[in-house]
Amino acid sequence: MIKFDLDESKTECKDAVIWCFGHSNVIFNKFAKIQKYCKYKKFNVVKVFGSFSQNKDTEKAEFNEMLDFIIHQKQKIAVVLHDSNQLPKFLNSKSELMDLVSNGKIELYFASGRMRLYNNK
């Protein structure tokens, strides 16, 4: 069962990837907040993915590269985004990501609200 809650409980995730995207005038602030959050969570950031391009093909290519990287990980990994306001976009168009949550391969973390989406097995 997928659960969405505050991230105060323990996690199996030691490593994390950052997924950061948006307009060029705000992406640097988002990225700095995500980095600070990863440090707070004591995540080892192994890779950063994202785009400040408004080109949907570029965003999709970066997203597919991230998915490929995640799928090849041997352990569960945290995927850290800036905020949960972007969640509807992921629920509608990024079902591969939600499948990874459902299968317990990843946990999604949202730095701004300190929340997570995970499989509660």
Side-chain angles (χ1 to χ4, degrees):
M1 169 188 258
I2 294 179
K3 191 171 181 181
F4 191 61
D5 66 8
L6 295 176
D7 71 348
E8 299 304 319
S9 57
K10 298 246 180 199
T11 179
E12 299 171 33
C13 299
K14 304 260 188 276
D15 293 336
V17 296
I18 292 175
W19 173 244
C20 190
F21 58 93
H23 300 284
S24 59
N25 58 341
V26 297
I27 195 168
F28 298 109
N29 287 334
K30 286 181 178 181
F31 183 69
K33 288 177 184 177
I34 294 170
Q35 281 186 307
K36 185 177 178 180
Y37 179 73
C38 287
K39 187 174 182 179
Y40 160 76
K41 292 298 290 180
K42 298 180 180 163
F43 288 142
N44 175 39
V45 176
V46 294
K47 197 136 170 113
V48 176
F49 298 92
S51 171
F52 58 88
S53 168
Q54 295 302 307
N55 183 324
K56 297 226 183 254
D57 291 335
T58 302
E59 183 180 321
K60 181 67 175 167
E62 279 287 314
F63 181 78
N64 287 336
E65 185 179 335
M66 181 182 72
L67 282 179
D68 188 54
F69 180 82
I70 291 168
I71 289 167
H72 288 94
Q73 298 305 300
K74 294 180 181 176
Q75 297 179 345
K76 184 187 284 190
I77 193 164
V79 177
V80 186
L81 292 90
H82 181 259
D83 61 56
S84 61
N85 292 336
Q86 297 166 332
L87 187 60
K89 178 179 179 180
F90 281 91
L91 288 172
N92 293 331
S93 64
K94 309 290 193 244
S95 63
E96 303 98 334
L97 197 62
M98 296 311 295
D99 289 344
L100 291 169
V101 172
S102 293
N103 295 329
K105 183 81 175 159
I106 66 169
E107 292 184 355
L108 285 176
Y109 285 83
F110 304 97
S112 152
R114 293 190 174 183
M115 297 189 313
R116 74 175 172 158
L117 184 66
Y118 65 103
N119 188 334
N120 186 25
K121 287 185 178 181

